[in-house]
Every structure is written in structure tokens, then in C-alpha cells.
Amino acid sequence: DLHVRSRRQRQMCIRDSAKDSPTSAARTVGALLAVGMTLDEIEAWPERVSDVSTEQVNAAARALLTEAPTGTGVLLPEGGV
């Protein structure tokens, strides 16, 4: 919980410092618009992030970071190495 609060506070500091620089703010907004976020989503993001609990972070990590079986293939030229 302390780690999540610390990370959240760091994100808020980054957001606040971006407001001090028009270039930084424009770059951030442009990058987020480029990946499909809307202006409403960008403006609401800090509040949405601050509402996320440690339990929600852990549940998302468990769902996404599974130990699913994996395989590795090596392509070799015809006739071997």
C-alpha cells in the first residue's frame, strides 16, 4: 500500500510539473491523443488514478502476469547452421 501511495504521489508531481511547462503539457497531451485517449479522459486521469486501490493493482497484476506456458523457436537456414 505504501508503494502504491508513493507511486501515485510521484505521478501527481509529474502532472503538476507538466502544468508549469507549456511544451511539456502539449507533448503529453499530444502523445495521449495519438494513442486514442480523449481530452475528457486525459483531464480525468489524475482522479481516476488516485481512486485505484492496492487490491485493484494486485488483482490486475495477477490477471495479466500469469505463468502461461511459452515456447521459443529458432529459425535456421536450410541445411542447418
Side-chain angles (χ1 to χ4, degrees), residues 8-67:
R8 188 178 299 142
Q9 184 177 14
R10 190 165 139 213
Q11 290 294 337
M12 296 304 149
C13 288
I14 291 169
R15 179 204 65 191
D16 291 342
S17 67
K19 291 178 181 178
D20 295 337
S21 166
T23 304
S24 178
R27 185 180 309 117
T28 300
V29 170
L32 295 173
L33 289 171
V35 296
M37 289 184 75
T38 66
L39 286 175
D40 288 338
E41 290 171 326
I42 294 167
E43 289 177 356
W45 180 83
E47 290 76 30
R48 291 184 63 209
V49 168
S50 67
D51 290 342
V52 175
S53 70
T54 302
E55 292 79 22
Q56 289 171 310
V57 172
N58 289 336
R62 280 191 294 278
L64 295 172
L65 305 174
T66 63
E67 292 188 30

